Amino acid sequence: MPFRVRSKTSILLAGLVLMATGCVAESEPTVVVDEVADSSQASEDVAVVSGSDDYVILYSGRAESLVQPLIDVFTERTGIEIDIRYSGTSELAAQVLEEGEQSPAAVFLSQDAGALGALSDAGLLASLPDSITSRVDPDYTSRDDSWVGVTGRARVIAYDSETVALEDLPTDVDEIVAPQWSGKIAVAPANASFQSFVTAYRVIRGESAADQWVSGLVMSDPQKYDKNSAILEAVEAGEVSLGLINHYYWYRMASERGGDQMRAQLYFLPAGDPAAIVNVTGAAILQAQSSDLDATALVEFLVSDEAQEYFVTTTFEYPLVPGIGAPEGLPELSELAVGDFDLSDLRSIATTQELLRNYGLIF
Amino acid sequence: MSIPLVYVVWRAVDVPLSDITAVLMRPRVQELTLNTLGLSLAVALTALVMGVVIAALLSRVRFRGASSLLLISALPLAVPSYLASYGWLVAFPGLNGFLPSWLLLTAVTVPYVTLPVAAALRGTSAEGEAVARTLGLGPLRAFVDVTWPQVRPAAVAGALLVFLYTLSDFGLVAMLRFETLTWGIQQSFAASFDRSQAAILALLLVVIALVVVAAERSARGQVVTSRAKLATREPVGPLSRTLALLVVLAPPLVGVVAPLAGLAARLFQAETLRDIDLSRLGLATAATIGVSVLAALVALAIALPLAALAARYSGRWVGALETLGYLPHALPGIVVGLSLVFFSLAVLPPLYQTATILVFAYAVLFMPKALGTARSSIEGVSPDLVNVARTLGARPLNAWARVTLPLALPGLGIGALLVAIATMKELPATLLLRPTGVNTLATELWSRTSAGEFAGAAPYAAILVLVAAIPAMILSGVRRTAKEEL
Amino acid sequence: MTTLGVHNVGLTYGSRTALSDVSLEIPSGSLVAILGPSGCGKTSLLMAIAGLLGIDEGVITAGHRELSRSGKRVPPEQRGIGWVPQEASLFPHLSVRDNIGFGLRKGRRRNERVEELAALVGLTGFLDRSPGQLSGGQAQRVALARALAPSPDVLLLDEPYGALDSVLRHTLARDVARILREEETTAVLVTHDREEALDLADVVVVMDGGRIVQVGTPVEVYESPATPWVASFVGDTVELAGVWRHGTLQCEQCGAADFCEPSEKRPGCAGHVVCALGEVAATAQGYQPADGDEVRVVVRPEWLAPGSSGIPATVRGVSYAGHDALVEFDMEGQKERVRARIAAPFLPSVGQGFQLTLRHPALVFPLPSEVELA
């Protein structure tokens, strides 16, 4: 029967291919001694001593198209091979939590601070050395040296330029929940950046005011989305008038479609407004691999000038290392709101979630 | 096979009872549960009705190009649910809620009913219906009274798969913003990093699945083996035929053509078109095909003894084992994935994040798809044949291998193909368990869409549907030859 | 060659009793027909002998070897008992050649044997066909060849000619019986066709309701049935009411004394009976009625003949069968009607008058007991 024959040969083929790809993925690369020795560009970051096998496994919650080119530069520079596992930040965090000390990962690159906080609370993160933590603005990194901020993303409002005039835009976060925007606001309540914003509101304006704001939001019938990118799409399609997102999503869409052609435009609330806070992405080293010098080298690289510049030009995110300029057209980091609160404080995040849960915004 | 269940119970047991009740009593949880139940039941029912109607139309109405119609009706199987919703959202960004979720999920799951019912119809004699007609029953009544009871087991088994599929689906309902228990589980992981809460919700899913699987076993009815005689095809007026054609084509149009068109539209919209890295595409395709073939074989290997037992004995233990086999299918991929992370690290650490554990995960996840067809194909072999073989000197196992197995093979092949298709489309467990650096078409598609690179995502989506369409088409073809040979 | 023995075998399916106290001796080389209506247990008996079903009571033996007992069963593959099921049940995925050779070990000898058997059943050119390409009769022959291939000691045939038309049935059944005799195979044939049983078997076993009702040669079963039910199952009957009288009787109606003389070999006692046919010679089947007892009288239609003297009767209906006719008569002064078998070509027409005599002692049975009637 033709069916039988087909399956036999394809099994063989598939098996061979799978073994091949599996082998490729799993094999540990041999130490490329020659390259390091001959390289005249050997960076001071590289220390080829014990505790280094020129190999690191990185769990990245950030996209491959963004991270891979940067890591490739690192590998070329140092000869350290990096195997990267790409997935969603929260899925990766759940995976690391499940893996515990048996996790094969050495470095965790996170899309938000909350995930890092969860891992830190579980005791899975190593204390980062001064050489790393001192490079970053203390407002935008961990309080206990368990993780370091790598880039910043500002909270902004994306608005439908075809139906909303500039003058009508809210100048204060409280105006967002005004009746005129009823049914036309988009939020992603499950998203860490939204929750950080609400946490900021609580800290800056107080608990009862925050409670009032959230109830006001619910009463104005907001459109709920899972992701910031979905919100931006909705604004771009004219489905909603206002969307609370992170700034760089707009720039990413603009690079594909042309900022001038876009219906959705960006608007920054005045500095000091809770809705204008800056969230961070961050990196950490897992406790079980704390002695791996290659891991340290990698994280150091992420907060190096070169990497920071890369983020600025590639994703339009804010650098967190002083001395690197903000992305073109964006207000400087110093001009944006800063709250006195720990971005990764899960207890505080938990209270925010309780608030949102009470009003049915999240589960 | 029971690893995900053990994991879920393990995590849930950690939580004090008072907390569990607190979670369950939360109105939001009840809302999510109702949403999940409502959607799953609705989709299962509509898929059942539509599947039977389409299968009946295909076998009783004279269409031009009838065989290719069957092929086309199988195509929605090849489209992952998240792709279907994504494609529609491109055209209608405002699409959300129960109704679109219901319609889209029905469109992509109808083949789970259509294909087995079409196969069963080919195996039934149309004589009974003809007799009923001479006794004065109209064609519809004749079908319902005479033929339906014979195809009922196949139809109900298919509807069960649809129910479990909907129960565990995350991608589509998340995109359409319809909040179900799977969404709640995702939230528990993502927002609260609360695995215990996730486990409680997963347990709820398992309980629901348990009830439904048990109900299906009682509604199953007996498998009737009868001599196949070709059914007479009804002569039908052109208007009715066009109508029938529309009904048959509806799921492929909604579930395949529309989403792909939406994706193509995206392709043209994008201003930056990244060069397609052919070697990468090739590797991902090879990996996808590789794991799905292996997963199909492993799933079949697990399902076979279970199905053989279930076909011969109807004791309570066997029934319990069969039910157990179905339950993990109700869990979303992330739960199954995490359970296997837990399991492999606890038991076989060197296997963690290897192709082996990944294939095993797929087999565990999708084995139920193979179980139903395996059981009914084994049941379909007349016991007389095995008895004769034994009197000719063959020991029981020998007789089984030389007689039952070859005859059940087409049905087993069907089960294997279903597993293969499901594996190709799978995302969350793959992301968790794949060897670092290895990608399937689904993960490549995901990483591009989540980074907003829609143009780059399109070729992967297209190849994924194409690759998955191959087994889907074989599925409709194999069934045909299988039944005709028997 | 061994004798197959069934000793007091009982078999229950849940609440239903399939076999009850069944005992049977099947001599080596004989062809035994098991005759009975549907559901009488004959298939169950066959499957128990084959080892496909276990028994709850009694023992099944082959010579001195014990095959089945409650709780213990030699598996079918070790019994050397072949089985031809009701529906041929050829393996659809194998060719005719592979079907026939299924029970044979691989080797050169196998091919030879397959061809030998194909020739035996007359299907030499069919070896490479698939079962789907065979007619009903051809399929049954392959099934027979397949069962014979491993040279079994005993062959069990479960209504093997059921699906065939009557002409084919007849020729095939005779062919099979001939083959079995040539191969000296003991055979047990289950059938509900009485003609088949009477024609082919050495021994006929009549079963009803899970029990054996009578065992005997075809002549014994036909001429001396154990009960009226057996009588009517094995052949046509005419039932009359009668009163038993002791003492043999000269058969005035038939005229020849030796026809009425009861044979010493017949069971029951000889006497005569007063019935619608008048005072006729009779033998009581297996019991001793008292003088004056009311009894059931059974005669076979072919025992009634029209003649020059006898009871006046008028033809009321004719059931034509070509070689003879079953003619229904009204007898003068009697309520009960009788049927007689009249050979062609001298067929009567309705309304004709005849004189009927009985040429064979009637069979006498007790009246049905209250239990039976209920």
Side-chain angles (χ1 to χ4, degrees):
Chain A
M1 284 197 275
F3 167 69
R4 274 212 194 114
V5 172
R6 218 183 294 169
S7 65
K8 270 201 195 127
T9 46
S10 58
I11 290 168
L12 272 171
L13 197 67
L16 285 171
V17 170
L18 191 65
M19 285 196 310
T21 53
C23 287
V24 163
E26 290 169 42
S27 62
E28 296 230 353
T30 51
V31 176
V32 185
V33 176
D34 295 340
E35 199 181 293
V36 171
D38 290 346
S39 166
S40 53
Q41 288 186 324
S43 152
E44 306 89 60
D45 288 340
V46 177
V48 187
V49 293
S50 64
S52 158
D53 56 0
D54 284 352
Y55 178 69
V56 170
I57 295 183
L58 164 68
Y59 278 12
S60 170
R62 307 211 62 188
E64 183 175 355
S65 48
L66 169 66
V67 171
Q68 193 67 51
L70 186 61
I71 301 296
D72 285 344
V73 168
F74 176 77
T75 300
E76 203 191 300
R77 182 85 49 76
T78 63
I80 301 175
E81 292 284 334
I82 315 279
D83 257 348
I84 312 178
R85 186 174 195 79
Y86 294 103
S87 193
T89 293
S90 37
E91 284 86 348
L92 277 175
Q95 185 163 6
V96 174
L97 283 170
E98 194 62 58
E99 290 167 343
E101 274 160 35
Q102 288 177 285
S103 177
V107 178
F108 188 90
L109 181 60
S110 173
Q111 190 93 287
D112 61 72
L116 293 164
L119 293 180
S120 174
D121 276 1
L124 292 169
L125 299 182
S127 235
L128 292 171
D130 274 346
S131 56
I132 293 177
T133 53
S134 58
R135 284 185 62 78
V136 174
D137 191 327
D139 284 333
Y140 297 108
T141 191
S142 64
R143 301 279 166 110
D144 57 0
D145 291 346
S146 60
W147 55 271
V148 65
V150 174
T151 63
R153 38 271 292 277
R155 292 294 290 172
V156 295
I157 295 181
Y159 68 94
D160 181 359
S161 57
E162 278 181 29
T163 58
V164 179
L166 214 54
E167 314 79 78
D168 299 331
L169 285 170
T171 51
D172 183 275
V173 62
D174 286 342
E175 287 176 33
I176 295 175
V177 299
Q180 72 185 112
W181 303 114
S182 186
K184 301 197 220 133
I185 311 176
V187 291
N191 202 263
S193 44
F194 177 83
Q195 291 175 4
S196 295
F197 143 62
V198 174
T199 310
Y201 195 113
R202 285 173 41 235
V203 169
I204 295 175
R205 305 225 176 152
E207 297 289 349
S208 62
D211 191 282
Q212 227 177 327
W213 189 90
V214 175
S215 97
L217 176 66
V218 172
M219 282 198 292
S220 43
D221 186 29
Q223 299 301 306
K224 291 183 283 179
Y225 294 84
D226 264 351
K227 296 202 238 189
N228 290 300
S229 48
I231 294 180
L232 185 57
E233 298 270 0
V235 175
E236 179 66 11
E239 291 284 322
V240 292
S241 303
L242 298 183
L244 301 184
I245 63 171
N246 294 332
H247 80 276
Y248 71 98
Y249 284 97
W250 188 92
Y251 284 91
R252 191 171 73 187
M253 185 182 273
S255 71
E256 272 212 357
R257 305 192 199 177
D260 304 327
Q261 334 279 38
M262 280 170 59
R263 192 165 158 171
Q265 294 294 319
L266 277 197
Y267 171 69
F268 282 81
L269 280 164
D273 195 304
I277 59 151
V278 173
N279 284 307
V280 299
T281 67
I285 297 176
L286 295 195
Q287 177 68 42
Q289 312 277 353
S290 58
S291 54
D292 189 348
L293 293 167
D294 297 325
T296 314
L298 177 58
V299 178
E300 270 183 355
F301 178 72
L302 289 173
V303 294
S304 68
D305 288 354
E306 185 176 354
Q308 294 284 301
E309 287 278 3
Y310 172 82
F311 283 115
V312 168
T313 50
T314 317
T315 61
F316 303 97
E317 289 176 297
Y318 281 98
L320 296 180
V321 166
I324 316 277
E328 206 181 289
L330 284 169
E332 286 292 332
L333 195 63
S334 46
E335 298 172 33
L336 299 175
V338 162
D340 183 26
F341 58 95
D342 184 352
L343 288 159
S344 68
D345 184 348
L346 280 189
R347 278 168 296 282
S348 190
I349 293 179
T351 315
T352 299
Q353 288 173 342
E354 198 58 48
L355 171 60
L356 293 175
R357 201 174 287 135
N358 283 341
Y359 284 103
L361 274 172
I362 63 166
F363 160 69
Chain B
M1 179 185 63
S2 52
I3 292 166
L5 298 172
V6 169
Y7 171 78
V8 167
V9 170
W10 180 279
R11 287 262 166 257
V13 156
D14 262 350
V15 183
L17 195 63
S18 53
D19 282 3
I20 296 184
T21 17
V23 168
L24 291 175
M25 283 296 113
R26 242 187 266 161
R28 278 292 266 157
V29 174
Q30 291 168 0
E31 192 184 321
L32 291 182
T33 312
L34 275 167
N35 281 355
T36 299
L37 268 175
L39 186 65
S40 307
L41 280 171
V43 174
L45 275 168
T46 26
L48 180 65
V49 170
M50 266 224 101
V52 173
V53 166
I54 293 176
L57 287 173
L58 283 172
S59 78
R60 296 281 190 263
V61 175
R62 202 186 301 270
F63 285 116
R64 230 176 309 170
S67 50
S68 45
L69 270 181
L70 189 61
L71 235 67
I72 292 173
S73 71
L75 281 181
L77 278 179
V79 177
S81 62
Y82 51 84
L83 199 60
S85 54
Y86 181 76
W88 274 88
L89 280 171
V90 167
F92 303 98
L95 217 57
N96 68 23
F98 178 80
L99 215 59
S101 305
W102 178 28
L103 289 173
L104 274 183
L105 273 171
T106 304
V108 297
T109 55
V110 161
Y112 282 116
V113 177
T114 312
L115 291 181
V117 173
L121 278 174
R122 263 180 249 114
T124 59
S125 166
E127 278 186 349
E129 251 181 73
V131 170
R133 296 292 296 281
T134 63
L135 292 171
L137 293 173
L140 186 62
R141 257 318 275 294
F143 182 83
V144 168
D145 285 348
V146 178
T147 311
W148 163 247
Q150 297 180 63
V151 301
R152 197 174 73 162
V156 171
L160 176 68
L161 281 182
V162 171
F163 184 89
L164 292 175
Y165 182 99
T166 312
L167 210 62
S168 64
D169 181 72
F170 170 70
L172 182 143
V173 289
M175 247 185 259
L176 291 175
R177 298 186 283 138
F178 183 67
E179 289 159 8
T180 61
L181 280 172
T182 53
W183 181 85
I185 291 173
Q186 184 75 12
Q187 287 280 287
S188 305
F189 283 125
S192 348
F193 300 103
D194 188 343
R195 287 171 296 155
S196 301
Q197 181 175 267
I200 296 172
L201 296 180
L203 217 53
L204 252 181
L205 277 175
V206 170
V207 168
I208 295 174
L210 198 61
V211 170
V212 173
V213 171
E216 188 265 349
R217 299 195 64 234
S218 57
R220 191 181 289 165
Q222 286 288 28
V223 172
V224 170
T225 50
S226 59
R227 255 186 233 289
K229 288 208 176 88
L230 280 178
T232 47
R233 288 182 181 249
E234 294 282 335
V236 151
L239 183 63
S240 313
R241 188 172 320 141
T242 317
L243 208 66
L245 197 65
L246 278 173
V247 171
V248 170
L249 287 178
L253 280 172
V254 171
V256 183
V257 175
L260 285 182
L263 214 63
R266 251 299 183 260
L267 192 62
F268 298 132
Q269 254 178 24
E271 283 194 4
T272 57
L273 198 81
R274 278 168 70 99
D275 291 321
I276 303 174
D277 185 345
L278 278 175
S279 64
R280 226 180 133 130
L281 187 59
L283 265 176
T285 310
T288 304
I289 296 177
V291 287
S292 51
V293 168
L294 287 173
L297 292 172
V298 174
L300 207 59
I302 299 177
L304 201 57
L306 216 62
L309 277 175
R312 285 284 167 253
Y313 309 102
S314 43
R316 262 179 313 146
W317 285 115
V318 176
L321 268 179
E322 213 195 335
T323 307
L324 213 64
Y326 273 105
L327 291 181
H329 197 46
L331 295 169
I334 186 171
V335 174
V336 177
L338 283 175
S339 72
L340 280 157
V341 169
F342 169 71
F343 169 74
S344 66
L345 282 176
V347 174
L348 293 159
L351 278 185
Y352 182 58
Q353 286 183 5
T354 59
T356 314
I357 208 76
L358 183 61
V359 169
F360 185 64
Y362 292 137
V364 166
L365 256 177
F366 300 127
M367 192 259 296
K369 293 192 202 273
L371 198 58
T373 47
R375 178 178 35 82
S376 54
S377 67
I378 292 175
E379 274 175 345
V381 177
S382 162
D384 261 358
L385 292 175
V386 178
N387 281 342
V388 170
R390 291 193 68 188
T391 60
L392 289 169
R395 273 188 300 267
L397 209 61
N398 192 286
W400 200 85
R402 289 171 71 188
V403 177
T404 312
L405 199 57
L407 289 172
L409 213 55
L412 296 176
I414 290 165
L417 283 171
L418 285 174
V419 173
I421 295 175
T423 306
M424 287 175 189
K425 302 186 294 186
E426 207 282 331
L427 186 60
T430 313
L431 283 173
L432 280 171
L433 293 168
R434 73 199 196 285
T436 310
V438 170
N439 283 304
T440 63
L441 288 168
T443 60
E444 290 277 27
L445 175 62
W446 166 84
S447 77
R448 278 162 181 65
T449 51
S450 61
E453 292 160 31
F454 307 113
Y460 286 90
I463 301 283
L464 176 58
V465 173
L466 225 67
V467 169
I470 297 173
M473 291 195 288
I474 298 175
L475 215 57
S476 51
V478 163
R479 287 175 182 274
R480 187 152 41 105
T481 47
K483 271 301 160 190
E484 276 165 13
E485 271 181 359
L486 285 175
Chain C
M1 292 297 186
T2 51
T3 303
L4 197 62
V6 176
H7 313 282
N8 308 101
V9 166
L11 176 62
T12 349
Y13 276 146
S15 55
R16 204 168 64 85
T17 308
L19 295 172
S20 180
D21 197 24
V22 170
S23 292
L24 196 52
E25 287 257 323
I26 300 170
S28 159
S30 64
L31 197 161
V32 173
I34 302 185
L35 184 66
S38 315
C40 71
K42 42 195 207 290
T43 302
S44 306
L45 179 59
L46 220 60
M47 289 181 80
I49 296 174
L52 297 169
L53 278 181
I55 56 178
D56 299 316
E57 287 156 20
V59 187
I60 300 179
T61 57
H64 298 295
R65 187 177 162 216
E66 200 174 87
L67 292 181
S68 285
R69 167 187 283 290
S70 170
K72 183 193 132 181
R73 190 178 8 150
V74 172
E77 56 270 14
Q78 291 174 22
R79 291 195 182 202
I81 296 180
W83 187 50
V84 180
Q86 221 158 347
E87 302 239 349
S89 292
L90 298 183
F91 303 125
H93 60 299
L94 299 176
S95 65
V96 168
R97 181 190 301 275
D98 289 332
N99 261 282
I100 297 178
F102 190 89
L104 299 174
R105 252 187 255 279
K106 296 221 194 297
R108 199 169 33 96
R109 189 67 193 101
R110 179 186 191 191
N111 245 349
E112 283 172 21
R113 178 84 175 133
V114 167
E115 286 177 16
E116 188 184 318
L117 287 157
L120 192 65
V121 297
L123 288 175
T124 308
F126 287 71
L127 284 173
D128 292 310
R129 297 220 188 157
S130 78
Q133 299 170 305
L134 301 176
S135 72
Q138 291 163 342
Q140 277 297 11
R141 289 198 232 179
V142 174
L144 181 67
R146 175 177 68 179
L148 283 174
S151 306
D153 293 330
V154 179
L155 191 64
L156 307 175
L157 302 105
D158 190 352
E159 302 203 44
Y161 317 115
L164 309 176
D165 65 76
S166 58
V167 175
L168 187 56
R169 246 187 117 112
H170 188 65
T171 32
L172 188 58
R174 303 207 105 221
D175 279 346
V176 169
R178 175 182 52 79
I179 292 169
L180 290 172
R181 266 184 244 288
E182 282 175 16
E183 298 279 303
E184 292 180 357
T185 310
T186 312
V188 180
L189 172 74
V190 157
T191 178
H192 61 263
D193 183 325
R194 59 193 183 192
E195 271 144 26
E196 205 169 272
L198 294 175
D199 185 18
L200 305 172
D202 303 315
V203 176
V204 175
V205 176
V206 184
M207 281 186 75
D208 186 31
R211 290 174 185 278
I212 292 185
V213 185
Q214 183 169 7
V215 178
T217 65
V219 174
E220 282 169 4
V221 167
Y222 188 81
E223 300 280 329
S224 309
T227 69
W229 179 82
V230 172
S232 62
F233 195 80
V234 170
D236 291 321
T237 57
V238 180
E239 258 201 49
L240 303 166
V243 176
W244 179 260
R245 295 261 177 264
H246 284 319
T248 59
L249 188 70
Q250 281 281 0
C251 192
E252 289 156 17
Q253 291 94 334
C254 61
D258 47 317
F259 271 0
C260 302
E261 209 66 57
S263 156
E264 292 84 22
K265 296 200 201 83
R266 285 209 192 93
C269 60
H272 67 281
V273 79
V274 180
C275 64
L277 292 166
E279 277 198 17
V280 292
T283 54
Q285 297 301 302
Y287 81 116
Q288 166 86 52
D291 197 275
D293 269 355
E294 287 191 19
V295 292
R296 267 153 90 176
V297 181
V298 173
V299 302
R300 297 221 178 267
E302 61 270 17
W303 297 344
L304 284 169
S308 48
S309 57
I311 298 194
T314 325
V315 178
R316 282 290 166 244
V318 177
S319 194
Y320 183 59
H323 43 73
D324 61 28
L326 208 52
V327 183
E328 203 171 0
F329 287 94
D330 263 344
M331 289 178 297
E332 197 178 286
Q334 302 292 340
K335 279 182 304 190
E336 290 164 314
R337 284 185 171 184
V338 294
R339 284 178 314 220
R341 203 176 279 281
I342 316 273
F346 307 110
L347 297 177
S349 41
V350 175
Q352 255 182 302
F354 286 94
Q355 308 242 6
L356 286 180
T357 57
L358 189 63
R359 313 186 281 178
H360 184 290
L363 304 169
V364 166
F365 296 97
L367 287 179
S369 61
E370 264 92 26
V371 175
E372 274 177 33
L373 282 175

PDB file of all heavy atoms in Angstrom, chain A residues 268-274 276 334-338:
ATOM      1  N   PHE A 268       2.806  62.023  25.190  1.00  0.00           N
ATOM      2  CA  PHE A 268       3.384  61.855  26.521  1.00  0.00           C
ATOM      3  C   PHE A 268       2.670  62.764  27.520  1.00  0.00           C
ATOM      4  O   PHE A 268       2.517  63.950  27.301  1.00  0.00           O
ATOM      5  CB  PHE A 268       4.870  62.260  26.525  1.00  0.00           C
ATOM      6  CG  PHE A 268       5.771  61.226  25.941  1.00  0.00           C
ATOM      7  CD1 PHE A 268       5.920  61.122  24.562  1.00  0.00           C
ATOM      8  CD2 PHE A 268       6.485  60.364  26.758  1.00  0.00           C
ATOM      9  CE1 PHE A 268       6.768  60.167  24.013  1.00  0.00           C
ATOM     10  CE2 PHE A 268       7.333  59.411  26.220  1.00  0.00           C
ATOM     11  CZ  PHE A 268       7.474  59.318  24.840  1.00  0.00           C
ATOM     12  N   LEU A 269       2.244  62.167  28.617  1.00  0.00           N
ATOM     13  CA  LEU A 269       1.664  62.997  29.682  1.00  0.00           C
ATOM     14  C   LEU A 269       2.784  63.762  30.383  1.00  0.00           C
ATOM     15  O   LEU A 269       3.945  63.360  30.322  1.00  0.00           O
ATOM     16  CB  LEU A 269       0.925  62.108  30.687  1.00  0.00           C
ATOM     17  CG  LEU A 269      -0.475  61.676  30.231  1.00  0.00           C
ATOM     18  CD1 LEU A 269      -0.981  60.514  31.053  1.00  0.00           C
ATOM     19  CD2 LEU A 269      -1.447  62.838  30.320  1.00  0.00           C
ATOM     20  N   PRO A 270       2.425  64.848  31.021  1.00  0.00           N
ATOM     21  CA  PRO A 270       3.462  65.654  31.675  1.00  0.00           C
ATOM     22  C   PRO A 270       4.241  64.856  32.712  1.00  0.00           C
ATOM     23  O   PRO A 270       3.716  63.927  33.316  1.00  0.00           O
ATOM     24  CB  PRO A 270       2.670  66.753  32.384  1.00  0.00           C
ATOM     25  CG  PRO A 270       1.361  66.796  31.718  1.00  0.00           C
ATOM     26  CD  PRO A 270       1.095  65.444  31.151  1.00  0.00           C
ATOM     27  N   ALA A 271       5.479  65.225  32.891  1.00  0.00           N
ATOM     28  CA  ALA A 271       6.330  64.528  33.858  1.00  0.00           C
ATOM     29  C   ALA A 271       5.723  64.605  35.247  1.00  0.00           C
ATOM     30  O   ALA A 271       5.144  65.618  35.636  1.00  0.00           O
ATOM     31  CB  ALA A 271       7.714  65.159  33.865  1.00  0.00           C
ATOM     32  N   GLY A 272       5.850  63.561  35.999  1.00  0.00           N
ATOM     33  CA  GLY A 272       5.296  63.530  37.339  1.00  0.00           C
ATOM     34  C   GLY A 272       3.949  62.821  37.372  1.00  0.00           C
ATOM     35  O   GLY A 272       3.474  62.405  38.423  1.00  0.00           O
ATOM     36  N   ASP A 273       3.341  62.680  36.233  1.00  0.00           N
ATOM     37  CA  ASP A 273       2.067  61.977  36.171  1.00  0.00           C
ATOM     38  C   ASP A 273       2.316  60.464  36.270  1.00  0.00           C
ATOM     39  O   ASP A 273       3.203  59.940  35.606  1.00  0.00           O
ATOM     40  CB  ASP A 273       1.380  62.300  34.828  1.00  0.00           C
ATOM     41  CG  ASP A 273      -0.075  61.915  34.818  1.00  0.00           C
ATOM     42  OD1 ASP A 273      -0.367  60.717  35.091  1.00  0.00           O
ATOM     43  OD2 ASP A 273      -0.922  62.786  34.564  1.00  0.00           O
ATOM     44  N   PRO A 274       1.532  59.790  37.084  1.00  0.00           N
ATOM     45  CA  PRO A 274       1.735  58.329  37.227  1.00  0.00           C
ATOM     46  C   PRO A 274       1.629  57.580  35.906  1.00  0.00           C
ATOM     47  O   PRO A 274       2.265  56.547  35.714  1.00  0.00           O
ATOM     48  CB  PRO A 274       0.604  57.888  38.163  1.00  0.00           C
ATOM     49  CG  PRO A 274       0.123  59.107  38.824  1.00  0.00           C
ATOM     50  CD  PRO A 274       0.450  60.280  37.948  1.00  0.00           C
ATOM     51  N   ALA A 276       2.838  58.334  33.278  1.00  0.00           N
ATOM     52  CA  ALA A 276       4.004  58.573  32.431  1.00  0.00           C
ATOM     53  C   ALA A 276       5.254  57.909  32.976  1.00  0.00           C
ATOM     54  O   ALA A 276       6.362  58.280  32.653  1.00  0.00           O
ATOM     55  CB  ALA A 276       4.237  60.080  32.275  1.00  0.00           C
ATOM     56  N   SER A 334      15.333  61.804  32.182  1.00  0.00           N
ATOM     57  CA  SER A 334      15.265  62.617  33.394  1.00  0.00           C
ATOM     58  C   SER A 334      14.002  63.444  33.466  1.00  0.00           C
ATOM     59  O   SER A 334      13.587  63.867  34.537  1.00  0.00           O
ATOM     60  CB  SER A 334      16.496  63.528  33.466  1.00  0.00           C
ATOM     61  OG  SER A 334      16.695  64.129  32.177  1.00  0.00           O
ATOM     62  N   GLU A 335      13.406  63.679  32.300  1.00  0.00           N
ATOM     63  CA  GLU A 335      12.192  64.500  32.291  1.00  0.00           C
ATOM     64  C   GLU A 335      10.944  63.705  32.654  1.00  0.00           C
ATOM     65  O   GLU A 335       9.869  64.252  32.799  1.00  0.00           O
ATOM     66  CB  GLU A 335      12.000  65.114  30.900  1.00  0.00           C
ATOM     67  CG  GLU A 335      13.108  66.045  30.476  1.00  0.00           C
ATOM     68  CD  GLU A 335      12.935  66.445  29.011  1.00  0.00           C
ATOM     69  OE1 GLU A 335      11.764  66.548  28.579  1.00  0.00           O
ATOM     70  OE2 GLU A 335      13.947  66.618  28.331  1.00  0.00           O
ATOM     71  N   LEU A 336      11.086  62.406  32.736  1.00  0.00           N
ATOM     72  CA  LEU A 336       9.889  61.587  32.971  1.00  0.00           C
ATOM     73  C   LEU A 336       9.711  61.297  34.463  1.00  0.00           C
ATOM     74  O   LEU A 336      10.613  61.448  35.263  1.00  0.00           O
ATOM     75  CB  LEU A 336       9.995  60.282  32.183  1.00  0.00           C
ATOM     76  CG  LEU A 336      10.102  60.495  30.670  1.00  0.00           C
ATOM     77  CD1 LEU A 336      10.339  59.157  29.986  1.00  0.00           C
ATOM     78  CD2 LEU A 336       8.842  61.140  30.136  1.00  0.00           C
ATOM     79  N   ALA A 337       8.571  60.829  34.777  1.00  0.00           N
ATOM     80  CA  ALA A 337       8.236  60.634  36.187  1.00  0.00           C
ATOM     81  C   ALA A 337       9.079  59.563  36.830  1.00  0.00           C
ATOM     82  O   ALA A 337       9.419  58.559  36.210  1.00  0.00           O
ATOM     83  CB  ALA A 337       6.764  60.259  36.311  1.00  0.00           C
ATOM     84  N   VAL A 338       9.392  59.798  38.038  1.00  0.00           N
ATOM     85  CA  VAL A 338      10.104  58.786  38.813  1.00  0.00           C
ATOM     86  C   VAL A 338       9.366  58.594  40.118  1.00  0.00           C
ATOM     87  O   VAL A 338       9.029  59.553  40.785  1.00  0.00           O
ATOM     88  CB  VAL A 338      11.553  59.242  39.113  1.00  0.00           C
ATOM     89  CG1 VAL A 338      12.141  58.447  40.250  1.00  0.00           C
ATOM     90  CG2 VAL A 338      12.392  59.103  37.860  1.00  0.00           C
TER      91      VAL A 338
END
